[in-house]
Structures are given as C-alpha cells and as structure tokens.
C-alpha cells in the first residue's frame, strides 16, 4: 500500500505560485513608471517581495516529495528530504489519534504516528517529530492530506499492523468492525450505516434529485423575482430599490435555508455510523461525534411523513431525528437485529416515553428483514455518478451568479450607485463560485480515478 499526494493537491499550489509570480511581474513593471513617489516605490517593492515569497512557498509545497509505503516487510517513508525505512521489528506501535491544528479556531484532525521500539532512532526533522504517550514518535501525515478513503485505509493498515495498530479516533475505530456483523468496541455495539452499499448511494441520488428541484424552484420564485423587483423599484427611486434589495436578500437566504436544505439532514443520516455505548447512542457524521441519551425520556419513533425531508423513512428521534429506521426512498426497514439492539436499551429506561419508543421498535421488528437482502452492487460506479451530478451544480450556481451580474448591469443604466453595488457583490460571488467549481471538479476526478482503479 503506497500513498502519494494527489495531483490536485500539487496543481493548486502551482497555480497559486504562477499567479503570485505574475503579480510580482506586474508590480515590477509599475516600478518603471515615471512620477511615482519614493514612498510609493518602496511600498510596491515590499509588495513585490511578498508576492515572490508567496510564490516560492507555494512552489516548494507543489514540488515537495511525499510518498509513504507499507507492506509485510515494513514502512518506506519519503517526505521532503527525509528518507527512512523501518522494519516491523523496529516499530512498537502504529497510532491514529487526533491532533489539534491552531488557526481560525481549533480544529482536530486524525494523524498517523509510528512509535519506534526503544533504542531505534529515525533522525526525523523537527516538523515530523512527535510524542505519543510520552514516547518519541514519527508523525507521518494527517489522514486528510493524501485524500485517502480513511475507513478503507484503516482496514488495510489493520491487516498489516495487527495488534500494533491503535485507533483512538472513534469514527475510524468503527471502520475496523466487520461489515457482516456487529462487534463490541470500547464497550459499545456498532450499528452499520443504512441503507448499505449501493442502495445507500441510490438513496443519495434520490435525495439529490429532489434537492435540485427545490433549487430550481428557489431560483425561479425567490432569486429572479428579487432581482426584477429591485430593478423596477430602483427606477422609481434608488433608495427604494436599495431597501427592496436588502429585504429581498434576506428573503432569498431564508428561502434557501428553509427549502433547498430540506433533505440535507437525511443525507447526513445515510452516511452516519452509530454505536450503542451504555445508554448513549453515539453517531458519527464526518468529523463530528454526537451523543444522545436513550434514557433521557425524549425518545420517540416517528412514522413516515411526520417530518419533512425524510421521504418514506421511519425515524428514531430524541425528539430531533437521529436514526433512519427505514429507507427514505423505498420505506424498507432496518434489519431486525439493529432494531432489537436499540429497543433493548430503551426498554430499561425509567421514563415511559423511552419504553413506549421501545415498544414501537418491537412492532417494527416484526416487519423488518431478518438480514439485509441488498447486494453491495456497483457502489463505486454509483458514487462516480453522484460526483458527476454534484459537479453539475457548478452550472446551476453559474446561472445564479450570472443572473446577479446581469441584473447589476441592467440597473447600472438607470441608477447611480445601486447597479455598481450589485456588480461589486457579484465579484466575490464569482470568486466563491470558481473555488467551488475547482473543488467539485477535483472531487469528480478523484471519484473517477477510484472507479478506474477498482474496475481494473
């Protein structure tokens, strides 16, 4: 198993380096203009130096070598100028745990550490040195850096490292569980994601189609009317047009939050993984971990249609929806083992509401499948299709940004300030759109590459 930085993570810094170099060239050309003051020349010189330093740092990152390999023999590490090979006999532990990244707020990211046996020295540079449980360690990388499939990486690493591997990040610990049966982990019984395999991907596709329809409705009945009303109001009086623009912006944002995000929580729950730890239900969505007390007297089983945005799914809530008990697309229930595990905990609650929810779960158990009949199917190809549809959002948002730009140009003919303000607003919108487009295209290329690798 070998890990390298993806092409996208090197291309983007290279593009920024080229941009900074171009900016430096432009600033140098300004130095030769006649009539500039000494202070102006000094300022331009300082900006030129800053641009060149930024270009150099981005280029250094883009060209920095990064390759980490692991097999039955041991580890091969090539990071920047650091080169080292470690046999398994020289490694005491392989640890995955969170580390704190300081910046705008504190962010926790899972990182991979190698802990050598006592007496084994790796002579690592300072930026790779770390301490794990008081022992010197080598920090290889944050798991988000190579853009790997984290759960699959943990499983493959477990097959090589054996009992040397220590996974201290809860959501990644769940990746070590058997996909065919629930096992005990840290005193908790794991519940698999639902719906599983390609069926879950089809649910994502179903939810995305409905979200797109809401997006179209939001654009036609919120964005377009707001832009038209602002333009016509500005013709009567520019201040009146500005007031309409502010109120319209609030309405557009509120409509987006209310309608376009209607299926977002259901999408999160399809990806969520769960574990029963004592009387707590632990759910992991991405990097977030949430706990709900199943003996808190708030449990409720909600039938399909009780809450908008979840399709035909039965839900377990506290009282907010927490677990999909059924498939939002087809209504098919979870396996009866999962339902019984939840019911068994709530049945012993001191609160009647929790015991009533347990009885509802027992009644659903009779209707559920003994085992999951869904074959995994072509999940990777389905994920590729979803990445393609998400890339299509680039065009949808381009229409929104273009509409704002055209509206500003239309108002520019009849207003003194408002049209220019609308155009000015469209500039950061276009910048955000460009960044979003780049992100979606890189995600699409990554999904395509994964599909090609698995099919060949």
């Amino acid at each position: 198993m070998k890990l390298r930085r993806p092409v996208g993570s090197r291309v983007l810094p290279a593009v920024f380096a080229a941009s900074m170099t171009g900016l430096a060239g432009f600033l140098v050309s300004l130095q030769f203009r006649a009539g500039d003051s000494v202070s102006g020349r000094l300022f331009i010189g300082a900006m030129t130096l800053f641009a060149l330093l930024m270009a150099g740092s981005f280029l250094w990152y883009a060209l920095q070598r990064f390759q980490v390999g692991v097999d039955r023999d041991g580890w091969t590490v090539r990071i920047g100028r650091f080169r080292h090979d470690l046999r398994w006999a020289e490694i005491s532990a392989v640890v995955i745990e969170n580390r704190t990244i300081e910046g705008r707020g504190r962010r926790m990211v899972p990182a991979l550490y190698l802990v050598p046996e006592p007496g084994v020295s790796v002579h690592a540079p300072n930026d790779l040195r770390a301490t794990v449980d008081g022992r010197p360690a080598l920090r290889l990388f944050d798991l988000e850096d190579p853009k790997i499939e984290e759960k699959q990486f943990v499983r493959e690493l477990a097959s090589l490292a054996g009992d040397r591997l220590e996974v201290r990040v809860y959501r990644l610990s769940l990746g070590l569980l058997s996909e065919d049966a629930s096992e005990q982990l840290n005193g908790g019984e794991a519940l698999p994601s639902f719906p599983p395999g390609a069926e879950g991907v089809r649910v994502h596709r179903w939810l995305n189609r409905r979200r797109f329809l809401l997006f179209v409705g939001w654009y036609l009945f919120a964005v377009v009317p707001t832009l038209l009303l602002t333009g016509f109001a500005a013709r009567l009086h520019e201040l009146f047009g500005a007031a309409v623009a502010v109120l319209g912006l609030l309405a557009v944002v509120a409509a987006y939050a209310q309608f376009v995000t209607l299926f977002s929580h259901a999408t999160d729950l399809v990806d969520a993984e769960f574990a029963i730890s004592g009387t707590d239900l632990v759910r992991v969505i991405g990097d977030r971990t949430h706990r709900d007390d199943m003996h808190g007297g708030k449990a409720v089983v909600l039938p399909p249609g009780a809450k908008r945005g979840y399709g035909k799914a039965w839900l377990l809530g506290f009282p907010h929806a927490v677990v999909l008990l059924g498939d939002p697309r087809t209504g098919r229930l979870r396996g009866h083992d999962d339902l019984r595990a939840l019911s068994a905990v709530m049945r012993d609650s001191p609160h009647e509401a929790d015991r009533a929810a347990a009885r509802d779960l027992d009644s659903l158990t009779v209707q559920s499948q003994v085992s999951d009949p869904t074959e995994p199917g072509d999940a990777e190809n389905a994920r590729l299709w979803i990445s393609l549809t998400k890339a299509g959002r680039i065009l949808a948002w381009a229409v929104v940004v273009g509409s704002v730009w055209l509206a500003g140009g239309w108002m520019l003919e009849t207003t003194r300030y408002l049209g220019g303000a609308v155009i000015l607003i469209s500039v950061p919108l276009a910048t955000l759109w460009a960044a979003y487009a780049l992100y979606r295209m890189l995600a699409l290329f990554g999904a395509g590459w994964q599909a090609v690798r698995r099919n060949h």
Side-chain angles (χ1 to χ4, degrees):
M1 179 170 56
K2 288 187 177 181
L3 300 174
R4 295 182 175 88
R5 279 201 177 95
V7 174
S9 68
R10 298 194 296 270
V11 170
L12 190 57
V15 170
F16 278 122
S19 301
M20 290 293 103
T21 303
L23 176 61
F26 172 72
L27 292 173
V28 169
S29 68
L30 293 181
Q31 290 281 12
F32 296 97
R33 287 187 178 181
D36 286 343
S37 63
V38 175
S39 60
R41 288 180 182 274
L42 290 175
F43 175 75
I44 293 175
M47 292 298 295
T48 303
L49 180 61
F50 175 76
L52 289 175
L53 289 175
M54 291 294 292
S57 62
F58 281 126
L59 189 60
W60 174 83
Y61 179 83
L63 298 178
Q64 187 183 35
R65 182 183 178 93
F66 177 93
Q67 179 178 326
V68 175
V70 56
D71 53 26
R72 297 291 178 186
D73 296 324
W75 291 78
T76 302
V77 182
R78 306 286 185 268
I79 301 177
R81 296 182 179 179
F82 178 66
R83 307 283 189 274
H84 203 88
D85 296 336
L86 282 169
R87 315 291 291 182
W88 281 113
E90 300 175 300
I91 297 174
S92 172
V94 180
V95 179
I96 296 176
E97 67 178 11
N98 281 326
R99 76 181 187 98
T100 303
I101 296 180
E102 300 289 347
R104 292 185 176 179
R106 299 178 54 169
R107 190 164 63 98
M108 305 292 290
V109 296
L112 177 66
Y113 299 86
L114 295 184
V115 181
E117 289 283 357
V120 176
S121 178
V122 295
H123 302 291
N126 290 333
D127 58 335
L128 297 182
R129 292 179 184 174
T131 303
V132 175
D133 297 335
R135 299 173 292 173
L138 175 67
R139 181 180 64 83
L140 295 184
F141 54 84
D142 297 332
L143 265 62
E144 64 179 14
D145 282 350
K147 301 302 180 185
I148 57 178
E149 176 56 45
E150 293 179 344
K151 299 291 179 60
Q152 183 64 29
F153 169 73
V154 169
R155 293 190 189 103
E156 293 179 7
L157 186 57
S159 66
L160 295 171
D163 57 5
R164 290 186 180 89
L165 180 62
E166 302 176 27
V167 182
R168 303 175 184 178
V169 181
Y170 195 85
R171 64 183 177 84
L172 297 180
S173 299
L174 293 177
L176 295 174
L177 295 174
S178 167
E179 295 181 345
D180 302 321
S182 297
E183 297 180 2
Q184 296 298 315
L185 175 68
N186 297 333
E189 182 177 357
L191 304 178
S193 298
F194 183 83
E199 193 67 22
V201 181
R202 295 188 187 100
V203 172
H204 271 296
R205 189 164 53 191
W206 182 82
L207 293 170
N208 284 338
R209 282 199 295 264
R210 276 144 186 80
R211 184 172 179 175
F212 177 73
L213 292 176
L214 290 174
F215 183 92
V216 172
W218 170 75
Y219 172 74
L220 293 177
F221 298 106
V223 176
V224 173
T226 296
L227 294 176
L228 291 175
L229 285 174
T230 300
F232 289 126
R235 289 191 174 189
L236 298 176
H237 195 283
E238 190 164 2
L239 188 59
F240 181 45
V244 171
V246 172
L247 294 176
L249 177 62
L250 295 176
V252 165
V253 172
Y256 187 91
Q258 183 70 24
F259 299 108
V260 182
T261 60
L262 183 61
F263 295 101
S264 297
H265 194 223
T267 302
D268 289 341
L269 292 185
V270 173
D271 289 331
E273 293 176 304
F274 302 88
I276 299 172
S277 179
T279 63
D280 286 346
L281 179 65
V282 182
R283 61 194 155 102
V284 180
I285 303 175
D287 293 326
R288 297 167 293 164
T289 302
H290 308 272
R291 288 179 175 267
D292 293 283
D293 186 5
M294 291 188 284
H295 283 190
K298 299 179 180 179
V300 60
V301 174
L302 302 170
K307 282 186 175 290
R308 294 187 305 165
Y310 297 92
K312 301 177 181 178
W314 285 81
L315 303 169
L316 175 62
F318 294 100
H320 54 284
V322 170
V323 182
L324 292 177
L325 301 178
D327 187 328
R329 184 172 66 98
T330 64
R332 182 174 64 87
L333 292 169
R334 272 183 177 266
H336 75 284
D337 289 339
D338 296 347
L339 298 178
R340 283 178 178 170
L342 293 168
S343 173
V345 177
M346 291 188 287
R347 196 178 300 129
D348 297 330
S349 172
H351 301 284
E352 175 57 28
D354 299 330
R355 295 195 296 270
R359 291 192 292 270
D360 291 337
L361 288 173
D362 290 335
S363 65
L364 291 178
T365 301
V366 179
Q367 309 170 39
S368 66
Q369 300 289 338
V370 174
S371 60
D372 181 19
T374 306
E375 295 295 330
D378 54 347
E380 290 303 321
N381 291 333
R383 289 191 181 93
L384 175 60
W385 174 253
I386 284 183
S387 295
L388 182 61
T389 58
K390 287 185 176 180
R393 296 177 186 176
I394 297 172
L395 298 177
W397 280 108
V399 172
V400 175
V401 175
S403 298
V404 176
W405 183 280
L406 290 174
W410 171 48
M411 285 182 275
L412 197 62
E413 301 174 357
T414 57
T415 62
R416 186 174 181 180
Y417 301 109
L418 186 58
V422 173
I423 291 178
L424 190 62
I425 290 173
S426 67
V427 172
L429 289 179
T431 304
L432 291 174
W433 173 84
Y436 176 77
L438 180 61
Y439 164 73
R440 284 298 179 198
M441 293 306 298
L442 291 177
L444 177 60
F445 291 148
W449 174 245
Q450 291 295 330
V452 169
R453 286 181 60 189
R454 290 183 180 273
N455 290 334
H456 296 280

